[in-house]
Amino acid sequence: PLPVAGGRFFVSMIVTRVEDGVRISSGTVQCVARIGTKRLVGKGSILNGIRPRCAFVIPRKTAGKVLRGAIVVAVPGGSVSRPFAYKIL
């Protein structure tokens, strides 16, 4: 689903270890995003112990603008990030 002005929006990803293909089940999730020059604060968590995700509240009156950001997962030994960009409906 795409972000909607005035609503909540979730971004998630699956992270696996290269060595054995096992999904990461713990770590620190950081969420960074912007709409234009306005910074959004997201809440990171690991959903069901297997899927890192970020939750954002999309401000009203932002329809037509672009939400840009990244989800970053830090685990012992490294971190991985995934950028995203979505047009707000």
Side-chain angles (χ1 to χ4, degrees):
L2 295 174
V4 176
R8 293 188 341 193
F9 180 65
F10 301 94
V11 177
S12 65
M13 68 179 182
I14 295 175
V15 180
T16 58
R17 289 192 302 226
V18 175
E19 302 86 27
D20 54 14
V22 174
R23 287 185 178 179
I24 299 296
S25 60
S26 64
T28 303
V29 181
Q30 297 177 348
C31 309
V32 294
R34 291 189 180 279
I35 299 173
T37 59
K38 181 177 172 67
R39 183 172 185 243
L40 292 183
V41 176
K43 181 175 179 175
S45 64
I46 298 195
L47 182 64
N48 297 330
I50 58 170
R51 185 180 288 256
R53 81 171 185 172
C54 291
F56 296 97
V57 175
I58 308 300
R60 295 177 188 200
K61 299 184 180 178
T62 56
K65 296 185 179 181
V66 177
L67 170 69
R68 297 180 194 280
I71 177 171
V72 181
V73 181
V75 295
S79 66
V80 63
S81 67
R82 178 179 159 224
F84 60 84
Y86 297 98
K87 187 172 183 179
I88 300 170
L89 302 177

